[in-house]
Amino acid sequence: MTATVLDLAGVTTRHEFMDRCARSLSLPEYFGRNWDALADCLTDLSWCPPTPRRLRVTGWQEYAAASPREWRIVTQILRDAADFWQHTDTPLHVSVEEATNAE
């Protein structure tokens, strides 16, 4: 089963984060690039095909270190979105992946 990957490698600011979300998640044109708009897009997935919805967040450590308050907001939005869809026919599964030392 495939997942959409939100790779945050190199992201350190909210602006970069919102741009990465818009591009990686193929968010709709009306996405307002703010926290409320992100939460709205993730709880109204009418713009997203109802196939298994899996989101893998990778490369987030640099952003979390540079903007810890904003990273807490992101994790809460992701948690709330997953909870919102949990008991539906098309749940949203979110995984925030730890870094690996595969280098």
Side-chain angles (χ1 to χ4, degrees):
M1 197 173 303
T2 62
T4 299
V5 176
L6 175 58
D7 182 3
L8 298 176
V11 170
T12 58
T13 68
R14 183 186 326 186
H15 179 78
E16 292 170 334
F17 174 81
M18 293 296 173
D19 284 349
R20 187 73 55 93
C21 283
R23 187 173 52 254
S24 296
L25 304 179
S26 301
L27 295 176
E29 288 293 319
Y30 58 80
F31 171 56
R33 286 179 162 72
N34 62 57
W35 300 127
D36 288 337
L38 180 60
D40 289 347
C41 283
L42 293 177
T43 56
D44 174 9
L45 294 174
S46 58
W47 54 271
C48 180
T51 57
R53 296 173 173 152
R54 297 193 177 281
L55 174 60
R56 291 179 41 228
V57 182
T58 62
W60 55 269
Q61 292 84 356
E62 185 178 2
Y63 181 60
S67 304
R69 180 182 172 279
E70 291 182 2
W71 178 246
R72 284 190 300 275
I73 293 169
V74 170
T75 58
Q76 187 62 53
I77 289 171
L78 294 174
R79 188 175 310 118
D80 289 348
D83 288 347
F84 180 86
W85 292 104
Q86 181 178 5
H87 299 291
T88 68
D89 292 338
T90 55
L92 172 64
H93 301 281
V94 178
S95 62
V96 178
E97 299 186 0
E98 296 296 323
T100 60
N101 293 329
E103 299 171 24

